[in-house]
Coordinates of all heavy atoms in Angstrom, one line a residue:
P560 N 19.7 -56.4 -98.0 CA 19.2 -55.5 -96.9 C 20.4 -55.3 -95.9 O 21.2 -56.2 -95.7 CB 18.1 -56.3 -96.3 CG 18.3 -57.7 -96.7 CD 19.0 -57.7 -98.0
A561 N 20.4 -54.1 -95.3 CA 21.3 -53.9 -94.2 C 21.0 -54.7 -93.0 O 19.8 -54.8 -92.6 CB 21.3 -52.4 -93.8
P562 N 22.0 -55.4 -92.4 CA 21.7 -56.1 -91.2 C 21.2 -55.2 -90.0 O 21.5 -54.1 -90.0 CB 23.1 -56.8 -90.8 CG 23.9 -56.6 -92.0 CD 23.4 -55.4 -92.8
G563 N 20.3 -55.8 -89.2 CA 19.9 -55.1 -88.0 C 18.4 -55.2 -87.7 O 17.7 -55.9 -88.5
R564 N 18.0 -54.5 -86.7 CA 16.6 -54.6 -86.2 C 15.7 -53.6 -86.8 O 14.5 -53.7 -86.5 CB 16.7 -54.5 -84.6 CG 17.4 -55.6 -83.9 CD 17.6 -55.4 -82.5 NE 16.3 -55.2 -81.8 CZ 15.5 -56.2 -81.4 NH1 15.8 -57.4 -81.6 NH2 14.3 -55.9 -80.8
R565 N 16.2 -52.7 -87.5 CA 15.4 -51.6 -88.1 C 14.7 -52.0 -89.4 O 15.3 -52.5 -90.3 CB 16.2 -50.3 -88.3 CG 16.7 -49.7 -87.1 CD 17.4 -48.4 -87.4 NE 16.5 -47.3 -88.0 CZ 16.5 -47.0 -89.3 NH1 17.4 -47.5 -90.1 NH2 15.7 -46.1 -89.7
Y566 N 13.3 -51.9 -89.4 CA 12.6 -52.3 -90.5 C 12.9 -51.5 -91.8 O 12.9 -52.0 -92.9 CB 11.1 -52.2 -90.2 CG 10.2 -52.7 -91.4 CD1 10.1 -54.0 -91.8 CD2 9.6 -51.7 -92.2 CE1 9.4 -54.4 -92.8 CE2 8.8 -52.1 -93.3 CZ 8.7 -53.5 -93.6 OH 8.0 -53.9 -94.7
A567 N 13.3 -50.2 -91.6 CA 13.5 -49.3 -92.7 C 14.7 -49.8 -93.6 O 14.7 -49.6 -94.8 CB 13.9 -47.9 -92.2
G568 N 15.7 -50.5 -92.9 CA 16.7 -51.0 -93.7 C 16.3 -52.1 -94.7 O 16.8 -52.2 -95.8
F569 N 15.4 -52.9 -94.2 CA 14.9 -54.0 -95.1 C 14.0 -53.4 -96.2 O 14.1 -53.7 -97.4 CB 14.1 -55.0 -94.3 CG 13.3 -55.9 -95.1 CD1 13.9 -56.9 -95.9 CD2 11.9 -55.9 -95.1 CE1 13.2 -57.8 -96.7 CE2 11.2 -56.8 -95.9 CZ 11.8 -57.7 -96.7
L570 N 13.1 -52.4 -95.8 CA 12.2 -51.8 -96.8 C 13.0 -51.1 -97.9 O 12.6 -51.3 -99.1 CB 11.3 -50.8 -96.0 CG 10.3 -50.0 -96.8 CD1 9.3 -50.9 -97.5 CD2 9.6 -48.9 -96.0
D571 N 14.1 -50.5 -97.6 CA 14.8 -49.8 -98.6 C 15.4 -50.8 -99.6 O 15.7 -50.3 -100.8 CB 16.0 -49.0 -98.0 CG 15.5 -47.7 -97.2 OD1 14.3 -47.4 -97.4 OD2 16.2 -47.2 -96.4
S572 N 15.6 -52.0 -99.3 CA 16.2 -53.0 -100.1 C 15.3 -53.5 -101.2 O 15.7 -54.1 -102.2 CB 16.8 -54.2 -99.3 OG 15.7 -55.0 -98.8
R573 N 14.0 -53.2 -101.0 CA 13.0 -53.8 -102.0 C 12.0 -52.6 -102.3 O 10.9 -52.6 -101.9 CB 12.3 -55.0 -101.5 CG 13.2 -56.1 -101.0 CD 12.4 -57.3 -100.6 NE 12.2 -58.2 -101.7 CZ 12.9 -59.3 -102.0 NH1 14.0 -59.6 -101.2 NH2 12.6 -60.1 -103.0
P574 N 12.5 -51.7 -103.2 CA 11.7 -50.4 -103.5 C 10.5 -50.7 -104.3 O 10.4 -51.7 -105.1 CB 12.7 -49.5 -104.1 CG 13.6 -50.5 -104.8 CD 13.7 -51.7 -103.9
P575 N 9.5 -49.8 -104.3 CA 8.4 -49.9 -105.2 C 8.7 -50.1 -106.7 O 8.0 -50.7 -107.5 CB 7.6 -48.6 -105.0 CG 8.0 -48.2 -103.6 CD 9.4 -48.6 -103.5
A576 N 9.9 -49.5 -107.1 CA 10.3 -49.6 -108.5 C 10.5 -51.1 -108.9 O 10.3 -51.4 -110.1 CB 11.6 -48.9 -108.7
A577 N 10.8 -52.0 -108.0 CA 11.0 -53.4 -108.3 C 9.7 -54.0 -108.7 O 9.6 -54.8 -109.7 CB 11.6 -54.1 -107.1
E578 N 8.6 -53.7 -108.0 CA 7.3 -54.1 -108.4 C 6.8 -53.5 -109.7 O 6.3 -54.2 -110.6 CB 6.3 -53.9 -107.3 CG 6.4 -54.9 -106.2 CD 5.2 -54.7 -105.2 OE1 4.1 -55.2 -105.5 OE2 5.4 -54.0 -104.1
Y579 N 7.0 -52.2 -109.8 CA 6.6 -51.5 -111.0 C 7.2 -52.0 -112.3 O 6.5 -52.3 -113.3 CB 6.8 -50.0 -110.9 CG 6.1 -49.2 -111.9 CD1 4.9 -48.6 -111.7 CD2 6.7 -48.9 -113.2 CE1 4.2 -47.9 -112.6 CE2 6.0 -48.1 -114.1 CZ 4.8 -47.6 -113.9 OH 4.1 -46.9 -114.8
R580 N 8.5 -52.2 -112.3 CA 9.2 -52.7 -113.5 C 8.7 -54.1 -113.9 O 8.5 -54.4 -115.0 CB 10.7 -52.7 -113.3 CG 11.2 -51.3 -113.4 CD 12.8 -51.2 -113.4 NE 13.3 -52.1 -114.5 CZ 14.6 -52.1 -114.7 NH1 15.5 -51.4 -114.0 NH2 15.1 -52.9 -115.7
A581 N 8.5 -54.9 -112.8 CA 8.1 -56.3 -113.1 C 6.7 -56.4 -113.6 O 6.4 -57.1 -114.6 CB 8.3 -57.1 -111.8
V582 N 5.8 -55.6 -113.0 CA 4.4 -55.7 -113.5 C 4.3 -55.1 -114.9 O 3.5 -55.5 -115.7 CB 3.5 -54.9 -112.5 CG1 2.0 -54.8 -113.1 CG2 3.4 -55.7 -111.1
A583 N 5.1 -54.0 -115.2 CA 5.0 -53.5 -116.6 C 5.5 -54.5 -117.6 O 4.9 -54.6 -118.7 CB 6.0 -52.2 -116.6
R584 N 6.5 -55.3 -117.2 CA 6.9 -56.4 -118.1 C 5.8 -57.4 -118.3 O 5.6 -58.0 -119.4 CB 8.2 -57.0 -117.6 CG 8.7 -58.2 -118.5 CD 9.8 -59.0 -117.8 NE 10.9 -58.1 -117.4 CZ 11.9 -58.5 -116.6 NH1 11.9 -59.7 -116.0 NH2 12.9 -57.7 -116.3
L585 N 5.1 -57.8 -117.2 CA 4.0 -58.8 -117.3 C 2.9 -58.3 -118.1 O 2.3 -59.1 -118.8 CB 3.6 -59.2 -115.9 CG 4.6 -59.9 -115.0 CD1 4.1 -60.1 -113.6 CD2 5.0 -61.2 -115.6
A586 N 2.6 -57.0 -118.0 CA 1.4 -56.4 -118.8 C 1.7 -56.5 -120.3 O 0.9 -56.9 -121.1 CB 1.2 -55.0 -118.4
D587 N 3.0 -56.2 -120.6 CA 3.4 -56.3 -122.0 C 3.3 -57.8 -122.5 O 2.8 -58.1 -123.6 CB 4.8 -55.7 -122.2 CG 5.4 -56.0 -123.6 OD1 4.8 -55.4 -124.6 OD2 6.3 -56.8 -123.7
L588 N 3.8 -58.7 -121.6 CA 3.8 -60.1 -122.0 C 2.4 -60.7 -122.2 O 2.2 -61.4 -123.1 CB 4.6 -60.9 -120.9 CG 4.9 -62.3 -121.1 CD1 5.8 -62.5 -122.3 CD2 5.5 -62.9 -119.8

Side-chain angles (χ1 to χ4, degrees):
R564 295 173 57 82
R565 292 185 63 250
Y566 181 73
F569 170 67
L570 179 62
D571 289 346
S572 73
R573 305 184 89 97
E578 283 189 81
Y579 192 90
R580 285 187 56 172
V582 172
R584 181 189 302 168
L585 293 175
D587 173 69
L588 188 62

